[in-house]
Amino acid sequence: MRDFYGVTLDSPLMLGTAQYPSPAVMEAAFRASGASVATVSLRRETGGGQAFWQIIKGLGLHVLPNTAGCYSAREAVTTARMAREVFETNWIKLEVIGHADTLQPDPFGLLEAAETLAAEGFQVFPYTTEDQVLAQRLVDAGCRVLMPWGAPIGSGLGLNNRYGLRMLRAAFPDIPMVVDAGLGLPSHAADAMEMGFDAVLLNTAVAQADDPVAMATAFGLAARAGRMAHGAGPMAPRDMAVPSTPVIGKAWL
């Protein structure tokens, strides 16, 4: 398994911390999921105060602050700087939103912010699209992780552009990649992991489920199963049927 800026994660599941019915449910969901990373927003921390931060610390996970809700490179950079002080980590999930309806990343603002933050010693996890040109520019800027979206944030649509994601994975074989956003079902997480991605990140599908703890458990199992399946070398699709019982030695009557 690839490492993330020198850190090897025990689980390929990353979970967000927003929209849960209560802090107690959030904590229970994280523990049930076996997630290795908790993504946190600076806005969430300031809203929840020390109680929220103590829960996150108590989980013993890697913390990945994000710049959620930022619509310009300047806003994202400022938020990242504040997040580093609050959460005491160089990790930052960089979001620069370019479209209010789809929440698609702004490629120009994203690259500008990534260049600035990488130069300041941040370890940037850029939320991006499956665009290979942008991916190369982000890698050139110093990003050692890429986080392509599966589908628009909170949509639950799964992997919208399987071709694009497969091509991106193949084009950057040595770069750790996390499918981020749009995963609505555990099968979506397994699908991404079977394609060779290194982790998945989601929030809404767990936090807004009727039973967040059960759904978190399901996503944790699915992500692990997908990773195991990819490592085992899955069979390639075939155009024709192939009998599983050998015909050699069969008696012809």
Side-chain angles (χ1 to χ4, degrees), residues 151-152 154-159 181-189 202 204-206 209 215 219:
S155 68
L157 293 172
L159 307 183
L183 304 183
L185 295 170
S187 57
H188 297 160
L202 57 124
T204 307
V206 167
M215 188 62 78
F219 266 102

Side-chain angles (χ1 to χ4, degrees), residues 221-240:
L221 292 171
R224 288 180 174 84
R227 180 170 70 180
M228 185 179 295
H230 177 73
M235 64 176 287
R238 296 164 175 168
D239 293 329
M240 298 181 64

